Amino acid sequence: MKKINPVISIILIIILAIAGYMFLRRNDEPKKSTFFAFDTIINLTVAGEDAQAVLDECEREIYRLDKLFNVHSPQSEISFLNENAAQSPVKVSQELYGLIKRSVEYSKDTHGAFDITIKPLVDLWDVKSGKNIVPSQSDIEANLKKVSYNDILLYPEWEIGFSSADTKIDLGAVAKGYATDRLCEIIKNSSCHWALLDLGGNIYCVGDREFSIGIQDPKGERGEYFRVIKVKNTSVVTGGGYERGFEKDGRYYHHIISPYDGYPADSGLESVTVKGTSSEMCDAFSTAVFVHGKDLAKELSAKNKDISFIIMDKNGNAEEIK
Ligand code: ADP
Ligand code: MG
């Protein structure tokens, strides 16, 4: 057999190594996408083969879900339900039915601190409008009477009715969580290695890569963290009144409303972070604990082994509850 010149073989090996490295790098180069949906900024980072196609699929999925769950759009399925369910039961998609059914369960689990029938009070306070008006006590009381998850009637065959003409649903505290879980499924069913999904504070770290996630300091600038946690294949959801609100006559009013008294929740907490595998559950529980307070975090983590909390109270004390 003819001997190959050693110099040529070394050159060949180097060329092959470089080509291999370039190929792997090309496939592993993370792709990013930033867009606005669900009333928030969405940042998706996906790594692996077909990352761009997977990102496009995620984006389409978000817009599809927005059409189902967006209460601000008169064309959404939830708006149709809100308009008609008090007259007679409405047949809805299995997805909307499932989300509402599980939301009722979250209400039961959280002593009613989380309640999707909060919409009349959310509209009354209208925190996001920028009008900055504090409603009268009598208006708050009148709208508080309209809030009760017991007025949601779940029938077989995906039909939902309302037992009161005043019942209206707002999915703002849980829809982003559900959407995050759906995106996570898309990634897991693709050939991608890992992904970092951030739907305005609803984070999911997907794949076998470990991520460091910073938890926003409620009193700091955006991007200032009071803790950094390492997570893998986990959702991390942070919520708190500091995110949206207005100040009036020296008092701060925010967008998370207590179904107990009709006012922006004031349970002594500044922010609530929840870790778990269901982003939807984390989303619901972060809102609920913010409304109800620290004791509920202890109760929920004792019942759900998969869930843990990091809470920050008004005095700046952080505590982990497992
Ligand atoms: P964010 O959407 O800012 O991440 P949350 O997940 O806590 O924060 O959701 C807050 C939104 O949920 C509000 O803007 C409102 O639409 C709705 N909401 C407010 N209070 C409650 C409540 N007690 N239970 C369920 N939904 C609520
Ligand atoms: Mg929430």
Side-chain angles (χ1 to χ4, degrees):
M1 213 173 89
K2 225 178 164 189
K3 262 198 176 167
I4 301 174
N5 181 328
V7 179
I8 292 180
S9 18
I10 286 170
I11 290 172
L12 271 174
I13 288 167
I14 291 172
I15 289 173
L16 277 174
I18 290 173
Y21 173 75
M22 298 283 281
F23 180 75
L24 284 176
R25 241 187 85 87
R26 195 201 57 162
N27 282 342
D28 257 351
E29 199 67 64
K31 294 265 189 312
K32 292 185 185 207
S33 161
T34 301
F35 54 98
F36 194 84
F38 277 87
D39 206 19
T40 191
I41 296 171
I42 299 192
N43 275 301
L44 309 177
T45 310
V46 177
E49 232 173 303
D50 296 331
Q52 190 56 53
V54 172
L55 270 181
D56 294 344
E57 193 183 339
C58 287
E59 206 167 319
R60 282 196 299 276
E61 177 69 350
I62 295 260
Y63 291 131
R64 186 185 72 79
L65 294 174
D66 207 34
K67 280 205 188 111
L68 300 184
F69 304 146
N70 187 346
V71 282
H72 306 295
S73 154
Q75 283 85 37
S76 67
E77 193 180 16
I78 186 67
S79 294
F80 185 81
L81 182 72
N82 278 339
E83 280 310 305
N84 298 288
Q87 288 89 288
S88 58
V90 174
K91 196 175 183 92
V92 294
S93 63
Q94 295 186 17
E95 249 176 323
L96 181 62
Y97 189 93
L99 185 58
I100 291 177
K101 189 170 189 239
R102 292 190 300 279
S103 292
V104 171
E105 290 303 314
Y106 298 141
S107 291
K108 291 178 187 161
D109 292 345
T110 63
H111 312 290
F114 170 88
D115 191 329
I116 54 173
T117 63
I118 198 81
K119 190 170 190 301
L121 282 168
V122 172
D123 291 348
L124 178 71
W125 281 93
D126 207 10
V127 169
K128 292 176 189 169
S129 72
K131 290 181 195 149
N132 303 359
I133 298 169
V134 178
S136 69
Q137 180 64 30
S138 60
D139 279 349
I140 291 172
E141 281 168 17
N143 283 281
L144 186 57
K145 289 197 186 112
K146 301 175 184 173
V147 177
S148 172
Y149 63 89
N150 289 315
D151 291 331
I152 301 175
L153 308 171
L154 294 156
Y155 297 108
E157 300 292 324
W158 329 116
E159 285 198 337
I160 295 180
F162 295 158
S163 59
S164 154
D166 294 322
T167 305
K168 301 273 183 241
I169 290 177
D170 176 337
L171 296 167
V174 77
K176 271 189 291 171
Y178 175 78
T180 310
D181 287 332
R182 292 284 63 76
L183 299 196
C184 180
E185 281 305 306
I186 291 177
I187 308 292
K188 283 184 175 163
N189 291 328
S190 77
S191 58
C192 291
H193 312 311
W194 59 262
L196 181 62
L197 314 171
D198 180 358
L199 283 75
N202 266 72
I203 291 173
Y204 214 120
C205 303
V206 197
D208 45 18
R209 192 188 136 170
E210 188 175 69
F211 291 86
S212 296
I213 303 295
I215 301 176
Q216 174 66 38
D217 179 354
K219 294 216 160 80
E221 296 286 311
R222 210 159 251 285
E224 253 182 66
Y225 305 130
F226 72 87
R227 191 168 288 192
V228 177
I229 55 170
K230 286 198 188 306
V231 286
K232 207 183 200 182
N233 255 322
T234 301
S235 180
V236 182
V237 176
T238 300
Y242 65 94
E243 283 173 339
R244 290 170 203 250
F246 65 88
E247 223 173 278
K248 191 78 189 266
D249 302 327
R251 275 199 66 179
Y252 181 69
Y253 301 92
H254 58 74
H255 72 310
I256 303 176
I257 312 293
S258 166
Y260 303 138
D261 63 10
Y263 279 83
D266 189 13
S267 68
L269 302 181
E270 205 70 60
S271 89
V272 178
T273 298
V274 192
K275 274 193 291 179
T277 46
S278 159
S279 195
E280 176 191 297
M281 189 185 267
C282 292
D283 198 0
F285 286 179
S286 78
T287 306
V289 168
F290 186 80
V291 169
H292 198 281
K294 183 171 147 180
D295 287 352
L296 182 62
K298 289 186 178 157
E299 198 183 315
L300 292 172
S301 64
K303 277 191 202 151
N304 303 274
K305 286 290 148 237
D306 170 53
I307 294 270
S308 63
F309 295 84
I310 297 168
I311 56 173
M312 163 73 95
D313 72 16
K314 288 213 157 149
N315 301 319
N317 301 313
E319 191 180 330
E320 193 158 358
I321 298 170
K322 284 190 189 176

